[in-house]
Amino acid sequence: MKFVQENILLIVVALVSGAMLLWPYVRRATTGRGVSTAQATHLINREDALVLDVRDPGEYGAGHILGAKNLPLSRLDAGGAEIAAKRKDKPVIVYCDTGNRAAKAAAALKSQGFAKVVSLSGGLGAWQQAGLPVEK
């Protein structure tokens, strides 16, 4: 007991650093994996992946990935995956501006039975930075 009292700070630091090391694995397990823009284009071209933009309609209208369907995160959480319902066997790529909403959308789709859900790492910003097509 005396050891714990004298070294409580070291014990707390060890626990926190261990949790920080495990966090990416825990998050990946619940939200699905992220893919790069190159991997996303491969899924789109070779495996007929569905691309879902989970941003609000105004953001979608300002510019989106060529051929992407708009399904805001708020509708997806309420069971509004009607756009993707017939495609549960195909890959689904979800994206937003930065990837935060996409991770939540990927988790929601997984809970609705979609097996091949991935999120675009870096979101639309990474897509544009790679010089890939965007339509308005």
Side-chain angles (χ1 to χ4, degrees):
M1 189 65 174
K2 184 177 179 183
F3 174 79
V4 173
Q5 290 174 340
E6 291 176 356
N7 295 304
I8 190 72
L9 183 61
L10 290 175
I11 293 169
V12 169
V13 168
L15 290 174
V16 169
S17 65
M20 290 173 63
L21 288 172
L22 292 176
W23 179 249
Y25 299 108
V26 171
R27 184 167 183 206
R28 189 178 311 137
T30 59
T31 61
R33 65 185 179 95
V35 293
S36 68
T37 55
Q39 292 168 318
T41 55
H42 175 80
L43 288 171
I44 294 166
N45 294 332
R46 305 276 186 204
E47 298 185 38
D48 192 29
L50 172 66
V51 181
L52 283 181
D53 185 325
V54 296
R55 301 175 301 156
D56 295 327
E59 295 171 295
Y60 176 81
H64 55 272
I65 293 175
L66 191 67
K69 304 291 183 196
N70 183 230
L71 184 60
L73 181 60
S74 59
R75 285 187 46 216
L76 188 67
D77 287 341
E82 66 275 356
I83 291 176
K86 296 178 182 174
R87 306 211 16 145
K88 286 191 177 188
D89 59 328
K90 298 276 187 180
V92 178
I93 303 168
V94 292
Y95 77 94
C96 61
D97 285 324
T98 60
N100 293 331
R101 288 180 278 183
K104 292 176 185 175
L109 286 171
K110 281 189 169 220
S111 71
Q112 293 176 19
F114 290 84
K116 299 176 183 177
V117 180
V118 294
S119 60
L120 180 61
S121 297
L124 184 61
W127 186 267
Q128 290 174 314
Q129 193 172 21
L132 295 166
V134 175
E135 66 180 338
K136 292 185 181 186

